[in-house]
Amino acid sequence: DIVMTQSPDSLAVSLGERATINCKSSQSVLYNSNNLSYLAWYQHKPGQPPKLLIFWASTRDSGVPDRFSGSGSGTDFTLTISSLQAEDVAVYFCQQYYTFPTFGGGTKVEI
Amino acid sequence: EVQLLESGGGLVQPGGSLRLSCAASGFTFSRYAMSWVRQPPGKGLEWVSLIYSGGTSTYYADSVKGRFTISRDDSKNTLDLLMNSLRAEDTAVYYCAKGNNEFDSWGQGTLVTVSS
């Protein structure tokens, strides 16, 4: 299985400031034939289902605010919230789908 | 609007069985692969099982292989997960999710508790 490791486990960010979450895969999730990294990011709030934010490492899902951005390729990825809003308080997970899906342990974002 | 609604969770003794169901609406169910993903209390997400459109191809996490069976009824737009020989470590919120790569829609989840 591909192991996904996120850092940090939690972070506190002031309103309007940048939040950066890292995700590292134990092997590359880049498919060379299409140059796409099979990596997604989710936002998970208590009592709600996870919400897809980003897929193919950097493509925002429909309706996701542009303050959320994904970057990286191969084994190292980053989710950036450019200007944290109160409603962004949540746990964020990365997930690879290069093989059967596996998830990172999650990063709790607080204000 | 895509809606996924799980049901069937509850308290079950170790070694027991439970069947989860997921009712889907708002999209052409038969065209999509569907998955089950679970989250044990205080832990991260774990993919459990996947069924492709048509229902002929199914896949399972090693942790549930041989004990869980995924199925779908495209005439009723439902996804099922039959769970046998349940263990304490199967305790989790079980989510129905649309897709087999990224999961673009999720249900609210149903709690399964395995305890004596």
Side-chain angles (χ1 to χ4, degrees), chain A:
Chain A
D1 290 1
I2 298 177
V3 177
M4 308 300 291
T5 303
Q6 284 184 237
S7 62
D9 292 336
S10 64
L11 76 161
V13 178
S14 300
L15 288 173
E17 295 300 306
R18 178 185 300 262
T20 301
I21 300 168
N22 300 302
C23 175
K24 188 175 183 69
S25 57
S26 61
Q27 65 186 75
S28 176
V29 298
L30 173 66
Y31 193 40
N32 290 327
S33 65
N34 58 18
N35 202 36
L36 290 173
S37 288
Y38 284 47
L39 190 285
W41 288 97
Y42 299 86
Q43 177 190 66
H44 196 187
K45 297 180 179 180
Q48 297 184 20
K51 176 186 176 181
L52 176 66
L53 297 175
I54 303 282
F55 56 98
W56 300 133
S58 60
T59 301
R60 268 189 302 275
D61 195 25
S62 174
V64 174
D66 60 7
R67 63 180 180 273
F68 292 93
S69 64
S71 63
S73 181
T75 61
D76 292 280
F77 302 91
T78 300
L79 175 71
T80 301
I81 309 172
S82 60
S83 176
L84 191 78
Q85 305 299 303
E87 61 265 31
D88 300 335
V89 169
V91 176
Y92 292 84
F93 291 93
C94 60
Q95 175 229 331
Q96 66 79 22
Y97 45 97
Y98 186 84
T99 61
F100 290 127
T102 52
F103 294 85
T107 295
K108 186 175 185 179
V109 174
E110 300 172 302
I111 294 174

Side-chain angles (χ1 to χ4, degrees), chain B residues 29-67:
Chain B
F29 180 75
S30 61
R31 293 184 182 175
Y32 290 88
M34 297 293 295
S35 298
W36 288 96
V37 178
R38 68 185 181 183
Q39 185 173 32
K43 296 186 178 180
L45 296 164
E46 178 190 18
W47 169 77
V48 172
S49 184
L50 157 67
I51 186 167
Y52 280 98
S53 60
T56 54
S57 296
T58 58
Y59 300 91
Y60 300 90
D62 287 343
S63 58
V64 306
K65 200 172 295 181
R67 300 187 298 123

Side-chain angles (χ1 to χ4, degrees), chain B residues 3-20:
Chain B
Q3 289 195 329
L4 300 169
L5 183 61
E6 302 93 341
S7 61
L11 175 63
V12 61
Q13 292 188 339
S17 298
L18 211 56
R19 179 184 287 271
L20 305 183

Side-chain angles (χ1 to χ4, degrees), chain B residues 27-107:
Chain B
F27 65 105
T28 306
F29 180 75
S30 61
R31 293 184 182 175
Y32 290 88
M34 297 293 295
S35 298
W36 288 96
V37 178
R38 68 185 181 183
Q39 185 173 32
K43 296 186 178 180
L45 296 164
E46 178 190 18
W47 169 77
V48 172
S49 184
L50 157 67
I51 186 167
Y52 280 98
S53 60
T56 54
S57 296
T58 58
Y59 300 91
Y60 300 90
D62 287 343
S63 58
V64 306
K65 200 172 295 181
R67 300 187 298 123
F68 289 13
T69 302
I70 191 171
S71 61
R72 63 191 297 160
D73 186 336
D74 289 346
S75 69
K76 296 180 180 179
N77 289 353
T78 57
L79 174 73
D80 283 357
L81 185 68
L82 175 61
M83 305 184 295
N84 294 324
S85 302
L86 283 162
R87 306 166 180 167
E89 54 265 34
D90 296 319
T91 294
V93 174
Y94 285 73
Y95 294 100
C96 162
K98 174 174 166 278
N100 59 297
N101 291 322
E102 77 279 5
F103 302 116
D104 60 18
S105 297
W106 300 62

